[in-house]
Amino acid sequence: QVQLVESGGGLVQPGGSLRLSCTASGSISGINAMGWYRQAPGKERELVAGITWRGYTNYANYADSVKGRFTISRDNAKNTVDLQMKGLKPEDTAVYYCYADMSWASPRSWGQGTQVTVSS
């Protein structure tokens, strides 16, 4: 079982930056993908960015709405995945959830979520 703890959310003005961090613990040796979803009020949860790794190679993917503004990165030594968010817009306001997938078939693990609010 994997436990995920997110940090770094908050209130930021439009155009500002935030860095979210997700730390994994537990059965981390089986994780081969992590990333971030978000859910705004009244909307479905959507994928923001994900990173998959095979050996020493990382593969990242992004939602079209965040390409060029958000960057996902992984620190294997710290068991963390970060999401650097720049050029934030009011429409980025949502609860951001970290997830982790195992290399074998098992339910996806989720963090508790962290609120990001972009407002002037």
Side-chain angles (χ1 to χ4, degrees), residues 44-95:
E44 293 186 356
R45 191 174 293 191
E46 62 174 358
L47 177 67
V48 177
I51 187 165
T52 303
W53 54 89
R54 295 183 182 86
Y56 295 101
T57 303
N58 296 324
Y59 304 90
N61 61 288
Y62 299 90
D64 288 342
S65 59
V66 307
K67 283 180 180 177
R69 299 189 298 124
F70 291 11
T71 303
I72 190 168
S73 61
R74 169 185 169 233
D75 187 328
N76 189 42
K78 297 180 180 179
N79 303 319
T80 60
V81 169
D82 290 353
L83 185 67
Q84 177 67 53
M85 305 184 294
K86 298 181 179 179
L88 283 162
K89 305 175 181 180
E91 51 264 42
D92 294 317
T93 296
V95 178

Side-chain angles (χ1 to χ4, degrees), residues 16-34:
S17 299
L18 278 176
R19 188 177 185 91
L20 305 182
S21 185
C22 176
T23 302
S25 62
S27 303
I28 59 174
S29 62
I31 299 174
N32 71 339
M34 293 180 68

